Amino acid sequence: IVRAEGASLQDVMQRRIWGPLGMTSTDILDQNDERITTCYHRPPNEDNRFQLERAGVTLKDEPTVDGHNIRGSFTADFNQGMRAAGGVQSTVADMAKYASALLRGGAGIVRAETFEAMVAAQHGGDGRMTSWGLSIARTPLRTGAERPSTWRQLLGHGGAYFGGWNSHLDVLPDANIGIVQHMNIMMDEPAPVFRRIIRAVLGIEDAPHSERATDPELLAAAPGMYELPMPGPLTNFRP
């Protein structure tokens, strides 16, 4: 997009998205700001420590402020070269304006047919599992314990910044509801927190999962060590 428009990513985003939506506290400049919340993270768990060390990342022991949380800081180096993949800085109020635009089918930003292509399933065919549009997750939400279950479609995406912060934005078009969540802590697995808040907002109780027998042959074959070449052409330390 930078090459196509002959402008910086900041200029393109400002002209095409943030300006038209009145998002006055949003940018992708990767700069510190006095309004940035104090951030925290947790010590890496055993698995993450193993994976990071295996990838050549040197970890240092950091003191906690309360026995659990480590105070972090903003580090611009994190997003160098990958700003389009997580470098946007914003506020909850500005992201609410963005959520409103999504609920209006992208009105004011893109044509209706473009928005429909954006939210249509591009990857993942089973409607009971998360599928992906064009950089937006399509998450099915079971809203009833009855059989067959009632399913609703959440559209959204998460964001994270090492140091740390976790954020998530979801919209539920059929209810005209947008949910913007921001935590000034980087967690290994923030999804349970986000899901609990989403269910509370929508008044949905957790539905019990039915027990199903596991194929004995699969159960016998699954345990073991799974390892990929390091480095590999399509792999990094995450697997």
Side-chain angles (χ1 to χ4, degrees):
I1 189 172
V2 170
R3 291 194 299 269
E5 303 226 0
S8 70
L9 187 59
Q10 165 66 23
D11 291 340
V12 174
M13 300 287 281
Q14 180 64 39
R15 174 164 42 86
R16 288 187 171 272
I17 300 177
W18 302 328
L21 295 181
M23 298 171 65
T24 58
S25 297
T26 303
D27 63 61
I28 198 166
L29 297 174
D30 225 15
Q31 297 175 349
N32 206 347
D33 190 292
E34 63 181 9
R35 295 170 297 173
I36 293 178
T37 53
T38 301
C39 63
Y40 299 90
H41 56 278
R42 303 281 174 83
N45 60 35
E46 183 178 350
D47 180 62
N48 283 346
R49 182 178 292 274
F50 169 75
Q51 296 289 358
L52 289 169
E53 291 177 347
R54 186 168 178 262
V57 178
T58 301
L59 295 176
K60 60 181 180 179
D61 292 327
E62 302 174 279
T64 67
V65 297
D66 55 5
H68 302 283
N69 301 302
I70 300 167
R71 185 165 182 165
S73 62
F74 173 83
T75 305
D77 293 344
F78 170 67
N79 271 315
Q80 292 299 319
M82 52 177 284
R83 289 180 178 173
V88 174
Q89 295 175 334
S90 190
T91 62
V92 171
D94 264 15
M95 292 310 297
K97 295 176 182 178
Y98 183 73
S100 177
L102 295 180
L103 289 170
R104 290 181 282 114
I109 305 179
V110 296
R111 295 188 300 268
E113 57 268 28
T114 303
F115 182 81
E116 288 302 316
M118 170 184 165
V119 299
Q122 307 289 330
H123 175 75
D126 192 323
R128 298 168 300 173
M129 301 179 69
T130 297
S131 57
W132 280 90
L134 300 176
S135 295
I136 194 164
R138 299 160 35 90
T139 305
L141 187 67
R142 191 168 75 171
T143 59
E146 69 278 1
R147 295 290 186 271
S149 297
T150 301
W151 295 86
R152 304 172 77 173
Q153 190 78 62
L154 276 174
L155 301 174
H157 205 294
Y161 199 103
F162 289 108
W165 294 270
N166 275 121
S167 300
H168 214 283
L169 179 147
D170 292 281
V171 295
L172 189 65
D174 64 18
N176 197 34
I177 291 176
I179 304 171
V180 179
Q181 302 184 62
H182 172 74
M183 296 190 293
N184 60 325
I185 183 170
M186 177 74 177
M187 302 177 67
D188 290 332
E189 185 54 55
V193 178
F194 291 141
R195 282 197 301 265
R196 186 169 183 177
I197 292 174
I198 289 171
R199 289 185 173 276
V201 170
L202 301 178
I204 300 172
E205 295 183 2
D206 285 325
H209 293 280
S210 58
E211 294 290 337
R212 294 189 180 183
T214 303
D215 183 339
E217 293 185 4
L218 175 63
L219 192 60
M225 175 67 76
Y226 294 78
E227 189 165 357
L228 296 175
M230 292 294 293
L234 297 176
T235 63
N236 58 21
F237 70 88
R238 290 186 177 183

